[in-house]
Amino acid sequence: MTAQALLHRATGLSVSKSVAERAVGQRMELTGFADSEAYLQALTPAEMTQLIELVVVPESWLFRDPQAFYATVELVQERWARGRATRILSIPCAGGEEPYSMAMALRDGGVPKQAFSIDAYDLSPGCIERAQAGVYGRNAFRAQDVAFRERYFTHVADDAYRIIDTLREQVTFRQGNLLQFDSAAYSRHYDVIFCRNLLIYFDKPTTRAAIAKLSALLANDGMLLAGYAEVPSFCQNGFATLQFRQAFALKKEATPPAAVIQVAALPPLRARALHSVPPAPRPAPARTPSAPLPALTRPRPVPVPAPSAQADLLAEARLLADRGQLHEAGEKCHAHLARVSEAAEAYFMLGIINELAGKMDLADDYWRRCIYLQPDHYEALCHLALLAERNGNQTAAATLKARAARIYQRRQASN
């Protein structure tokens, strides 16, 4: 079995061949193996954990997308007023930034500690260890207002702060994989689930399996907080949106999934270059989302083939990209553009293909061309927002998220 397949089986993550091979090479150097096949055959559970650590690089910070926390505080306050405590789950929790943010938000909202409990899980033992320590550097404090640092952290070293013990005690951290979670033992156990920016690393079958797990864990009247790029996938699998502005909150839909509003799903993302996430934000790009795009080169008109032939080229490109055949997938997209020069979907696919190849600047350019041609392309806006967020450009990310949210709301209203 290949390293790719082994990592997918162990984690559910879709990593590229190059990412898997790079991780194997690093571990071989440390363990003294000269042959990759021998290394994979000798792989122990402990060594698999070390290998996984090299492909799972969490990127989070305190009070990331704060509207989700405000929506949860409102729900907890309402339930506590009726004498009901709230059980909260954060999965994956990365280094603890999300569950600790929730604990701080609830404290700021005047919610007593007996009114809620927070469980937090992550695949990475290293993340759990960091979360339990509760020590964070400058990169964790990216929120516009960091006054909470003075209230809830103590300064322990240069640019290092530890969360106060009373808040650390409010969160229970455990190592765990959502796909292996015992949903039968925890059936409808949680009133609020944070599962944000996980599904973007899964292929379609794994996405469906993960959503089924989350649905089983969530109480029937509970609330789930997703990443903005993941809302369509949830809505295709038994969830409906809740009206909390920019919180990307969902509830379990009472109607069967077939009756749920259908929104175009994101293509499978195989290897979103997790290894390349920088530990600190890079300087903001010179060109912001509002800057004018370069003029697109418009070739001379050519005969347009039948719609089925056009759709076939893009369908083939998606299939090839999902298999890791990125060069061939790109050729299909360019062939489509040679026939239909202003095909926004082809530019979107080229952005995905270059993202998978680790060529983020090219991906950015292609997605911008996509929204130049189709300003309401929800998926392209989501990917641009994720890229801006990863690059440390929080203003651009917030603008793109707001645009995506408005488009999604309009889609719902028209259905």
Side-chain angles (χ1 to χ4, degrees), residues 83-106:
R84 180 176 169 185
T86 302
R87 297 159 298 187
I88 302 170
L89 172 66
S90 171
I91 185 167
C93 67
E97 295 90 345
E98 183 174 83
Y100 283 141
S101 296
M102 191 66 260
M104 286 185 280
L106 289 165

Side-chain angles (χ1 to χ4, degrees), residues 70-368:
Y70 303 151
T72 304
V73 170
E74 184 177 323
L75 181 146
V76 175
Q77 288 173 331
E78 186 274 331
R79 294 194 179 200
W80 185 243
R82 294 188 282 113
R84 180 176 169 185
T86 302
R87 297 159 298 187
I88 302 170
L89 172 66
S90 171
I91 185 167
C93 67
E97 295 90 345
E98 183 174 83
Y100 283 141
S101 296
M102 191 66 260
M104 286 185 280
L106 289 165
R107 177 73 69 89
D108 284 343
V111 179
K113 63 180 182 179
Q114 64 268 28
F116 67 95
S117 61
I118 304 176
D119 292 338
Y121 288 80
D122 200 274
L123 177 68
S124 164
C127 283
I128 294 300
E129 184 177 345
R130 291 192 295 275
Q132 289 173 330
V135 178
Y136 299 96
R138 181 189 309 170
N139 197 42
F141 299 94
R142 299 189 214 170
Q144 291 183 344
D145 180 5
V146 295
F148 64 87
R149 187 170 63 189
E150 298 301 317
R151 297 194 298 274
Y152 299 122
F153 287 82
T154 56
H155 186 227
V156 293
D158 291 342
D159 294 325
Y161 299 81
R162 178 183 288 116
I163 197 161
I164 60 175
D165 289 342
T166 54
L167 284 183
R168 282 202 302 158
E169 293 166 359
Q170 286 287 110
V171 185
T172 301
F173 291 100
R174 298 186 182 92
Q175 191 273 334
N177 183 342
L178 171 62
L179 297 172
Q180 298 169 0
F181 212 91
D182 187 355
S183 52
Y186 287 86
S187 178
R188 299 180 179 84
H189 182 75
Y190 292 102
D191 303 293
V192 177
I193 296 179
F194 282 78
C195 187
R196 305 191 294 173
N197 304 314
L198 173 65
L199 303 189
I200 56 175
Y201 302 116
F202 290 162
D203 57 22
K204 286 183 179 178
T206 310
T207 293
R208 288 193 294 269
I211 292 175
K213 285 281 187 182
L214 293 165
S215 181
L217 295 170
L218 184 65
N220 288 339
D221 61 347
M223 178 173 70
L224 185 143
L225 289 308
Y228 43 90
E230 300 164 325
V231 171
S233 294
F234 278 102
C235 287
Q236 290 172 347
N237 290 277
F239 280 79
T241 55
L242 289 168
Q243 297 306 309
F244 287 103
R245 183 176 176 270
Q246 293 191 37
F248 303 99
L250 302 114
K251 64 178 180 178
K252 290 163 75 167
E253 181 60 89
T255 57
V260 176
I261 297 168
Q262 295 298 304
V263 182
L266 296 176
L269 301 184
R270 305 183 73 85
R272 286 184 54 88
L274 301 181
H275 64 290
S276 66
V277 179
R282 299 194 301 237
R287 189 174 74 238
T288 65
S290 59
L293 293 169
L296 298 177
T297 301
R298 303 192 180 191
R300 295 172 60 186
V302 296
V304 177
S308 60
Q310 298 175 38
D312 286 347
L313 282 171
L314 289 184
E316 290 175 29
R318 287 175 182 271
L319 183 61
L320 289 166
D322 196 33
R323 291 174 177 170
Q325 297 172 256
L326 303 183
H327 178 74
E328 294 84 349
E331 287 182 339
K332 294 290 184 184
C333 289
H334 286 296
H336 182 83
L337 286 167
R339 299 174 178 178
V340 187
S341 62
E342 298 186 2
E345 194 62 25
Y347 283 116
F348 173 69
M349 277 301 304
L350 284 168
I352 293 290
I353 290 163
N354 280 278
E355 181 189 40
L356 300 180
K359 300 175 182 177
M360 306 310 292
D361 290 341
L362 278 175
D364 179 84
D365 285 341
Y366 281 124
W367 287 327
R368 289 178 185 277

